[in-house]
Amino acid sequence: MKLYMAPGSCTTGIHILLEELGLPFEAWIISIPASQHLQPEYLALNPKGSIPTLVLDDGQSLTDYIAISYWLARRHPRARLMPDDALAAARVMEILAYVVGTVHGQGFARLFNAEGFAGSGKEALQGQGRAIVDKAFAILDTQLVGPYAAGEFSIADPALFYVEFWADKLDIPLPLRLSAHYTLMRSRPVVQQVLREEGYR
Ligand SMILES: N[C@@H](CCC(=O)N[C@@H](CS)C(=O)NCC(=O)O)C(=O)O
């Protein structure tokens, strides 16, 4: 396997897990200051332009801390990196989601990259938000297995649905496959019932 990483970044967490598991891997250093994460060769591996990326033995790329760590834990059950108990496992996911999404994604991201967030006010910030959403929708559009996010209906679909729903409300166009996913979700009786219950007609 190949781990695309930068010393001292969030990739250190995956580096620790690979070493804990004693797995052989090649470390490929990506310099964020030198914008190596935005080079076409790297974007071909990970169109999000983020690290970590783990390239598996069969050549597939796996991105994002939560996905990579989950896969490692499932692949190596004897290391007991995820509790068997459903609630205990959910508690692990709860911490992961908060650390990655909020502590890192919102807190440290601003501490480390204030220039990236600072703009000339509300419009500039909304422009940044829109650029992030547009890029993410384009990536998710290519990753959607179909007809649901991961093929069959899963816990990913209601999450994808709520951002598609927000896009709809804000008149942000959805790419073709996400648009089909949104339509499919809206055709589910439960989704219609929930929207009705929440006051949407
Ligand atoms: N949610 C992503 C976040 C990854 C992330 O933001 N990594 C930073 C390095 S710690 C990065 O790639 N920064 C470059 C950028 O996003 O432009 C994950 O869990 O992998």
Side-chain angles (χ1 to χ4, degrees), residues 1 54 56 62 66-76:
M1 294 187 291
L54 187 66
L56 311 186
L62 199 52
I66 294 179
I68 297 171
S69 60
Y70 176 79
W71 178 78
L72 287 170
R74 285 285 299 266
R75 192 78 204 283
H76 302 278

Side-chain angles (χ1 to χ4, degrees), residues 188-201:
R188 287 178 77 89
V190 166
V191 173
Q192 291 169 9
Q193 176 197 326
V194 165
L195 290 179
R196 270 196 311 276
E197 283 171 5
E198 295 190 6
Y200 293 99
R201 291 285 172 271

